Each structure stands twice: as structure tokens, then as C-alpha cells.
Amino acid sequence: MRDPGRVAILISGRGSNMKALVEQAQGYEVVLVASNKPLAPGLEWARAAGLPTWALDGKGVDKQEFDRLLSAALHDHQVGTIALAGFMRILSPWFVDQWRGRIVNIHPSLLPKYQGLDTHVRALSAGDAVSGCSVHLVTEELDAGEVLGSAEVPIEPDDTPESLEQRVLAAEHQLYPKVLGEFVHK
Ligand code: GAR
């Protein structure tokens, strides 16, 4: 059985949640940062922090092949837990099955509300008084796995999608390291 405390973080972009997971790591070790975007700004930060990285451009690679190569890289680094942090690529059912129960994700809404994209626009359009973020297990169904933890933030009357995003993001940076630390010890 793999050590659940050996964590890989998967990113596609700026990687602010990755940074929070690395800087606030308690009870787990980040052993790999992987991306489907070789130019993701977060990868540069990871390299500068001395973390091993892996990247393969998801465009133009067969989906099954990408997931097979990613899975092999994770095995090479003896990864026990995979933390998706702004990884904007849907993992295949094959991959999810290979790593069943070992993949977590952070999502910028109070799940089960607003699965998928544009969560802040949707929360504002609905006139919600609160929003937030959720950490959940990844299953074959998008953003529908068991919720492991969530945090609420208020929605202010003059909020824009951008101002709400910033408030939710700050909550994400608090929530994710805490929930991941608890998860790897379960
Ligand atoms: C975060 O807000 C995360 O919750 C969201 O993307 C952002 C990534 O920011 N994830 C999703 O929407 C997943 N469906 P980051 O790269 O700065 O961590």
C-alpha cells in the first residue's frame, strides 16, 4: 500500500492553491507537481521551490495516452494521494479507477451547488447570500464525489465575479491544506 502522505499536486494554471498546499503542508509531503500545461506559471514556482515537476501538453495527445503517462509518472514518484488544484482537465474513468479513493479536488462553490464552471457568476445571478469552496473526492462524475470539507464566505451586495473569486480563493488557501492533512491520515 502506497504512503497516502506522499502527495502529487496537479495544476493547469497559476497554482495559488498548490502554493498554499506546499507552504502549509502538515502531515504530508508534496513529492511531485504535474501539469497538462507545460507553460503553467505554477510550474515555475514549483521548480524554483525545488519540487520535482512533470508536464505534458494535453493538446494533441490521445486522452487515454495522456492519462496513462501521467499515471506512470505518479507511480514513479510513489505517490499515494493526488490533489487537483485548478487542474482543468477531466480525468478518464480509467484513471479515476486506477486511483480510486486517492484523488481529491478543490472546487470554488459550496457543493453540491454549482458543479462545473463559472461558479461565481452563477452564485451572484442566483442572488445567494453566501458562497464558498469545497474539497471533495474525485469520482467519474464531475464535482460529485463525497465532500470532505467546505468553507463559507459572505456575498456582499456590491460583489462582482472577480471580487467574489478573490474572497473564495482566500478561503480555499485556508481550507485545502487543512482538509488534505486530515484526509491523508484517515
Ligand atoms: C481555484 O479557484 C479552484 O477552486 C478552481 O480553479 C482555481 C485555480 O486557482 N478549480 C476549479 O474550478 C475546478 N473545477 P489556482 O491555480 O490559483 O489554485
Side-chain angles (χ1 to χ4, degrees), residues 13-18 85-86 88 105-108 116-117 143 169 172:
R14 75 191 150 188
S16 71
N17 275 289
M18 168 203 67
M88 305 309 268
N105 180 41
I106 183 129
H107 184 75
L117 297 175
D143 301 330
L169 197 60
E172 293 180 33

Side-chain angles (χ1 to χ4, degrees), residues 10-20 42 84-89 105-109 114-120 132-134 136 142-143 165 168-169 172-173 176:
L10 272 51
I11 63 168
S12 297
R14 75 191 150 188
S16 71
N17 275 289
M18 168 203 67
K19 193 166 172 243
L84 309 187
F87 186 66
M88 305 309 268
R89 182 183 167 95
N105 180 41
I106 183 129
H107 184 75
S109 77
Y114 311 130
Q115 296 159 336
L117 297 175
D118 299 324
T119 55
H120 308 305
C133 51
S134 312
H136 66 94
L142 186 68
D143 301 330
E165 181 190 352
V168 171
L169 197 60
E172 293 180 33
H173 299 162
Y176 207 178

Side-chain angles (χ1 to χ4, degrees), residues 18-66:
M18 168 203 67
K19 193 166 172 243
L21 288 173
V22 170
E23 289 179 344
Q24 299 173 56
Q26 241 182 33
Y28 61 87
E29 185 191 357
V30 178
V31 298
L32 182 68
V33 173
S35 183
N36 62 324
K37 302 271 182 197
L39 299 179
L43 275 180
E44 260 181 62
W45 185 91
R47 281 188 209 107
L51 294 166
T53 61
W54 178 94
L56 175 64
D57 196 337
K59 274 198 201 126
V61 184
D62 172 72
K63 189 166 183 56
Q64 191 75 15
E65 180 67 358
F66 180 95

Side-chain angles (χ1 to χ4, degrees), residues 1-6 71-81 99 102:
M1 155 91 179
R2 283 283 162 73
D3 175 359
R6 292 181 63 81
S71 193
L74 296 166
H75 284 301
D76 283 350
H77 288 81
Q78 283 105 45
V79 166
T81 301
W99 294 91
R102 299 309 328 154

